[in-house]
């Protein structure tokens, strides 16, 4: 197989991967925008402990979104750095996009909007979960401190989850909105 045919096959495979990532991003967005409110509603009908899992579901959506967005940009970076550079014809689509940062503005806004909405979902679901624990504790006539264990355990794990998600976001922000090389590889 000659180099040109191999590059063409690589390019087509990467474009298919980018399309697949866009599809997965769309479904993550739909699941988040429709699924999280539906899950919160269903959790109110379920046992108290189910509510404690809702914030973790939102965190998983955030991480899935960051992963897919980063994967898509990584494929674009490979196209720009390897396929377009090796073709020797100068900047092509990905190189052209990166040479004009204003064309990536909508990508940054899309990612930022998604993250703002889902971090709001996260903090709202954490607030509801903590509130439910405190209401359960206030109505607990047994005198045990079981709900306080749930309160502190949930508070610590929710805080760790938020810090971890924010650290992931800060570490990988550039990789999720640009195909330009960065220190994260």
């Amino acid at each position: 197989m000659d180099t040109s045919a191999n590059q063409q096959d690589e390019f087509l495979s990467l474009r298919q991967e980018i399309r697949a990532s866009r599809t997965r991003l769309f479904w993550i967005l739909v699941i988040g925008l429709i699924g999280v409110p539906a899950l919160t509603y269903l959790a109110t009908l379920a046992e108290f402990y189910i509510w404690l899992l809702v914030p973790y579901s939102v965190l998983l959506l955030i991480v899935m979104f960051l992963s897919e967005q980063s994967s898509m940009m990584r494929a674009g970076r490979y196209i720009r750095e390897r396929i377009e550079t090796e073709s020797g014809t100068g900047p092509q689509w990905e190189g052209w996009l990166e040479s004009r940062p204003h064309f990536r503005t909508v990508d940054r806004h899309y990612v930022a909007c998604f993250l703002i909405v889902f971090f709001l979902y996260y903090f709202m679901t954490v607030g509801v979960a903590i509130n439910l624990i405190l209401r359960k504790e206030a109505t607990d006539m047994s005198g045990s401190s079981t709900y306080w264990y749930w309160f502190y355990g949930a508070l610590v794990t929710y805080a760790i989850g938020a810090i971890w998600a924010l650290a992931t976001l800060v570490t990988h922000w550039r990789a999720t909105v640009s195909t330009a090389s960065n220190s994260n590889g």
Side-chain angles (χ1 to χ4, degrees), residues 4 10 15 37 46 51 75-76 78 85 98 104 108 115 123 137 144 150 160 164 183:
S4 178
E10 267 187 323
R15 294 308 296 172
W51 238 109
Y78 185 86
T85 304
E98 285 303 324
R104 290 284 190 203
R108 287 189 299 277
L115 292 170
F123 290 116
E137 195 284 323
S144 71
W150 282 105
I160 290 170
W164 172 70
S183 61

Side-chain angles (χ1 to χ4, degrees), residues 119-173:
F119 272 109
L120 286 173
Y121 272 0
Y122 177 70
F123 290 116
M124 288 187 322
T125 58
V126 165
V128 171
I130 294 298
N131 186 30
L132 286 173
I133 293 171
L134 292 174
R135 284 195 308 184
K136 284 284 195 181
E137 195 284 323
T139 60
D140 183 24
M141 298 299 169
S142 69
S144 71
S145 57
T146 303
Y147 290 109
W148 284 113
Y149 295 125
W150 282 105
F151 173 79
Y152 290 118
L155 202 58
V156 167
T157 60
Y158 294 153
I160 290 170
I163 292 167
W164 172 70
L166 288 170
T168 300
L169 170 62
V170 168
T171 304
H172 298 287
W173 172 255

Side-chain angles (χ1 to χ4, degrees), residues 28 53-67 114 118 122 164-165:
I28 291 168
L53 299 175
V54 174
Y56 300 121
S57 303
V58 177
L59 276 181
L60 288 175
L61 282 173
I62 291 170
V63 173
M64 287 171 52
F65 177 82
L66 287 172
S67 174
F114 177 90
F118 283 91
Y122 177 70
W164 172 70

Side-chain angles (χ1 to χ4, degrees), residues 28-93:
I28 291 168
L29 187 64
V30 168
I31 289 168
L33 291 176
I34 296 169
V36 170
L39 182 61
T40 58
Y41 173 75
L42 293 174
T44 60
L45 302 175
E47 185 65 30
F48 154 77
Y49 301 105
I50 299 298
W51 238 109
L52 300 178
L53 299 175
V54 174
Y56 300 121
S57 303
V58 177
L59 276 181
L60 288 175
L61 282 173
I62 291 170
V63 173
M64 287 171 52
F65 177 82
L66 287 172
S67 174
E68 283 301 323
Q69 184 71 20
S70 182
S71 175
M72 182 177 60
M73 289 297 178
R74 187 173 45 248
R77 184 177 311 118
Y78 185 86
I79 289 170
R80 185 177 53 76
E81 291 178 359
R82 298 292 298 269
I83 297 173
E84 290 179 358
T85 304
E86 290 175 6
S87 72
T89 60
Q92 295 173 9
W93 178 249

